[in-house]
Amino acid sequence: KYIIKVKRNETLVEERSKIKSPSVVKNLLVLYIDTLSRARAVKNLKKTMAWLEKFMNQKNPSRETFQFFKYHAITPFTLNNLYAALHGVFDPLGESVPTRAESFVETFKRNGYITGRATDYCVTEFIIYDDDRYAFLDPVRFDHEAVGFSCDPNTYSEAQSFSPFRKCIYGKDVFEYQFQYAQDFWTTYQQEKKLLYLEFMINHEESQERVKYMDSPLAQFLQTFEDRGWLEDTAILVFSDHGFHFPPAAVYDYYTDIKAERALPTLFINLPRKISDEYRVVMKENQQKFVSGFTIFHTFMTIAEGVGSSHFNSSLMGNLPSNTTCDDIRIFRQACYCNYDPIV
């Protein structure tokens, strides 16, 4: 069995506690689920969606959930979407002299957050950092990382990484250890500012059904955080990079809905009421505005730096423009499904 215990770093606590920053919220919990369109989330994560939806359109909510209907993928594959969301840059190969780009995690560290990450996939990073072509991208370095259980040879093999079969070890789905790690991380640093980033590759497979196994545990995980009072000063961001992109080419040509689905991933944010009360009107409007991974990056930066951040107006809490186009977001290698003429 796995015994998970996050070791508290007192030196880190002392260093970060000295940093005073007007951050939007004390804690941020990020749930990244690869290859999950909004349509698939509604279809296959019913209990998780129900937990998020119970905070929508309530008269006196303790928290509030916002969903972004026109969140659009830049490409139908992972890398460019994560370049944008985690580093705030576009395709690095398309720029002759690309700007040095550190990750959003460094901004959280500079603003006093202790950072952690756990994944169900045996890889230190989703983005390629050991290729000279990407040398200008600073790797994402968290203070605490949990990768070991996803790399256990009893459960991991390259051939099975993207298969529709469940990945289990010692009687549990691999992702359950992420939830266990998350709870221990939260307990270990309960009084400190923190960022926890959970990555899930469970839906990156051809059936798009395996993610159903995560639904009940994920909903219970969120409910546990709520029951323990851990959400009082915590924002939750749920997002994906793109939607379903596994069918063969012939299926793409026949089912136009699949083309739209791969372009429209999942994006929800759940906020404490003291934050949502202040930005509710503009965020309700932003739910129907064209956003991308760049918007997620600006939101990360704003949460860490506060509303005085230079990124605020481009974040989910800012007054986003209504006339954004596919060219503005630099969408390529797929159709644009959210472009519209604001005059019409």
Side-chain angles (χ1 to χ4, degrees):
K1 66 179 180 180
Y2 274 114
I3 298 174
I4 295 176
K5 179 62 180 175
V6 179
K7 185 177 180 180
R8 182 178 171 89
N9 187 328
E10 293 294 352
T11 302
L12 194 62
V13 169
E14 183 178 358
E15 290 175 354
R16 301 284 164 82
S17 64
K18 294 177 182 179
I19 300 173
K20 306 302 178 185
S21 173
S23 305
V24 170
V25 69
K26 178 182 176 182
N27 307 310
L28 175 61
L29 174 62
V30 180
L31 304 173
Y32 166 76
I33 307 175
D34 199 291
T35 321
L36 184 68
S37 69
R38 183 180 177 277
R40 293 281 167 170
V42 172
K43 177 180 182 290
N44 289 338
L45 295 177
K46 296 183 184 300
K47 293 181 180 179
T48 302
M49 292 298 106
W51 188 89
L52 290 168
E53 288 168 4
K54 75 179 182 179
F55 298 108
M56 293 179 185
N57 304 315
Q58 300 297 314
K59 187 174 182 180
N60 293 299
S62 59
R63 307 179 59 75
E64 192 158 5
T65 298
F66 301 90
Q67 56 183 323
F68 298 89
F69 299 95
K70 295 182 179 180
Y71 168 48
H72 204 296
I74 295 171
T75 64
F77 50 85
T78 298
L79 288 182
N80 288 87
N81 296 298
L82 289 189
Y83 294 147
L86 306 187
H87 293 272
V89 297
F90 190 62
D91 181 9
L93 300 183
E95 302 181 20
S96 57
V97 185
T99 305
R100 190 77 187 176
E102 66 178 16
S103 79
F104 79 99
V105 178
E106 297 305 315
T107 300
F108 275 81
K109 291 178 182 178
R110 284 196 296 270
N111 284 273
Y113 288 81
I114 294 173
T115 63
R117 165 185 177 258
T119 178
D120 66 346
Y121 183 53
C122 184
V123 64
T124 54
E125 296 294 347
F126 280 10
I127 297 178
I128 302 168
Y129 292 110
D130 58 357
D131 187 316
D132 290 342
R133 296 176 300 170
Y134 302 91
F136 74 97
L137 286 174
D138 287 336
V140 181
R141 299 183 178 93
F142 292 85
D143 300 311
H144 292 271
E145 295 205 4
V147 182
F149 42 76
S150 60
C151 292
D152 191 299
N154 290 288
T155 188
Y156 178 79
S157 73
E158 193 65 38
Q160 292 296 317
S161 293
F162 303 140
S163 77
F165 299 103
R166 296 172 77 173
K167 290 179 63 177
C168 303
I169 185 166
Y170 308 142
K172 293 182 179 180
D173 288 280
V174 175
F175 61 76
E176 292 189 66
Y177 294 103
Q178 289 173 263
F179 298 147
Q180 184 178 338
Y181 183 89
Q183 292 183 44
D184 199 64
F185 178 84
W186 222 262
T187 301
T188 302
Y189 293 107
Q190 190 162 346
Q191 302 305 317
E192 285 73 36
K193 291 174 70 174
K194 50 196 167 291
L195 159 70
L196 182 60
Y197 190 92
L198 301 182
E199 295 173 332
F200 301 94
M201 286 290 284
I202 184 173
N203 200 50
H204 196 284
E205 50 86 16
E206 60 190 10
S207 77
Q208 293 284 282
E209 295 293 309
R210 198 173 73 181
V211 74
K212 289 181 177 179
Y213 294 113
M214 193 175 79
D215 186 24
S216 290
L218 176 54
Q220 183 56 56
F221 168 73
L222 293 170
Q223 187 60 48
T224 297
F225 265 54
E226 182 184 357
D227 293 342
R228 293 183 180 179
W230 289 351
L231 298 183
E232 184 177 345
D233 202 5
T234 297
I236 302 172
L237 180 70
V238 182
F239 83 103
S240 187
D241 47 356
H242 53 77
F244 190 27
H245 67 170
F246 276 94
V251 178
Y252 280 140
D253 292 338
Y254 189 77
Y255 295 108
T256 56
D257 285 350
I258 291 178
K259 293 183 180 179
E261 184 179 332
R262 70 177 179 176
L264 301 173
T266 298
L267 179 57
F268 292 84
I269 191 167
N270 178 270
L271 297 171
R273 182 176 176 180
K274 63 181 179 181
I275 306 300
S276 66
D277 277 353
E278 189 166 355
Y279 302 106
R280 178 176 298 111
V281 174
V282 69
M283 292 187 74
K284 286 282 190 181
E285 293 176 354
N286 288 343
Q287 287 185 133
Q288 294 290 349
K289 291 182 179 180
F290 198 5
V291 299
S292 71
F294 292 108
T295 318
I296 293 174
F297 176 77
H298 293 307
T299 302
F300 282 146
M301 303 295 277
T302 296
I303 289 174
E305 297 176 339
V307 296
S309 170
S310 61
H311 298 269
F312 174 76
N313 289 331
S314 299
S315 74
L316 295 174
M317 292 172 283
N319 186 15
L320 297 173
S322 299
N323 58 348
T324 301
T325 69
C326 286
D327 290 337
D328 296 325
I329 291 178
R330 302 173 75 177
I331 289 170
F332 73 107
R333 294 185 66 174
Q334 68 178 19
C336 178
Y337 284 87
C338 284
N339 203 4
Y340 61 98
D341 185 345
I343 299 175
V344 176

